[in-house]
Amino acid sequence: MFILFGTRGITFGGKAGTFHCPRCGPDTTYLHRTVRRFFTLYFIPVIPLDKMCEFIECANCKGKFTTDVLAFDPEQERKRAEGEYYEHIKRIMILTSLIEGEPSGEQLDAVRHVCTLLTGSAPSPAEMEREIALASKATLDLPAYASHYLGGNLSDHGKENVMRAALTVANADGDMTACEEAQILELSVALGMTQAHYRGIASEHTESRSEAGVDPNEWDELE
Ligand SMILES: [Zn+2]
């Protein structure tokens, strides 16, 4: 007669809640599972030992995830990314206004106007001043900024909005100068746009420009 003993991991139910399951979507029930090692005798768990691991199990698809899945909030993540994107558009516009040296009043008005269209509020005068001071000292010019911070990460629609923002500011005080045109063309290259795509946006922008310099309809499609 010999005694069979060993250890074995046993999974416990744990508390339930709702989470955004990466497979099933929002408001799905989960179980917070704990696996505990047991000392077994004849394959029967007898003495609980240490905790081996914890995981989140989806009650619907039975998928198993690490516990940080509970912190994932796609809506919050989307808002964060959107806020960051608007910050970049604001900086793109400030850099555009500085291509010819001092930005004109019309150009700064255009920056505020586009920010309002995109986010519902204009930057305060203090924020504008701070942004201009920062951008004046920056070592990155407009295309370099775009390739560093945006690169090929944007959707076509995202790129188009960046181009519209730059074109709006460059055109705000009359026609674009050769320097502005050259930098904006480089901006489209930095964003990974084809020349045909850029030309399309530029001519569409020129055609739809209202008396005020900005056509709000251009921005309607923003996701
Ligand atoms: Zn699931």
Side-chain angles (χ1 to χ4, degrees):
M1 171 90 184
F2 57 94
I3 297 171
L4 265 176
F5 63 90
T7 61
R8 178 179 150 192
I10 300 209
T11 306
F12 289 88
K15 66 176 200 297
T18 56
F19 79 135
H20 185 108
C21 174
R23 291 183 198 152
C24 310
D27 299 324
T28 309
T29 306
Y30 71 80
L31 287 168
H32 191 144
R33 301 287 208 182
T34 305
V35 181
R36 194 171 277 280
R37 199 193 311 271
F38 267 72
F39 177 78
T40 59
L41 205 53
Y42 296 105
F43 307 111
I44 299 161
V46 184
I47 305 167
L49 301 171
D50 52 331
K51 197 196 271 185
M52 289 166 78
C53 71
E54 286 177 66
F55 63 91
I56 301 301
E57 185 179 271
C58 174
N60 186 42
C61 68
K62 307 294 175 201
K64 294 170 177 58
F65 309 95
T66 54
T67 49
D68 48 12
V69 75
L70 297 183
F72 178 67
D73 178 350
E75 178 56 17
Q76 205 182 343
E77 175 55 27
R78 193 191 60 75
K79 279 191 185 144
R80 191 201 56 76
E82 191 182 78
E84 208 171 79
Y85 171 64
Y86 291 149
E87 278 294 297
H88 287 313
I89 289 199
K90 182 179 72 194
R91 303 230 156 96
I92 292 275
M93 290 193 289
I94 299 278
L95 284 166
T96 305
S97 76
L98 288 164
I99 294 173
E100 298 284 296
E102 279 284 292
S104 68
E106 289 98 330
Q107 285 180 316
L108 297 182
D109 283 345
V111 173
R112 280 188 287 266
H113 186 69
V114 172
C115 286
T116 308
L117 285 176
L118 293 176
T119 68
S121 66
S124 68
E127 189 185 341
M128 289 288 285
E129 226 169 86
R130 194 176 60 238
E131 289 290 341
I132 293 164
L134 272 173
S136 312
K137 279 186 275 174
T139 48
L140 293 176
D141 64 5
L142 178 64
Y145 180 93
S147 89
H148 188 81
Y149 290 104
L150 300 167
N153 293 332
L154 294 176
S155 65
D156 277 356
H157 189 66
K159 291 173 191 173
E160 286 167 13
N161 274 332
V162 171
M163 293 308 298
R164 287 192 188 110
L167 287 163
T168 299
V169 173
N171 280 306
D173 52 358
D175 282 333
M176 260 204 280
T177 63
C179 278
E180 285 171 333
E181 208 170 340
Q183 287 231 4
I184 287 178
L185 180 66
E186 272 189 64
L187 170 65
S188 72
V189 175
L191 291 173
M193 283 176 104
T194 63
Q195 284 315 289
H197 194 181
Y198 166 64
R199 292 282 162 219
I201 293 296
S203 65
E204 184 190 292
H205 179 84
T206 313
E207 281 164 24
S208 67
R209 209 141 47 94
S210 68
E211 291 289 301
V214 183
D215 178 3
N217 295 324
E218 281 185 30
W219 304 89
D220 274 359
E221 303 165 50
L222 194 83
E223 57 261 58

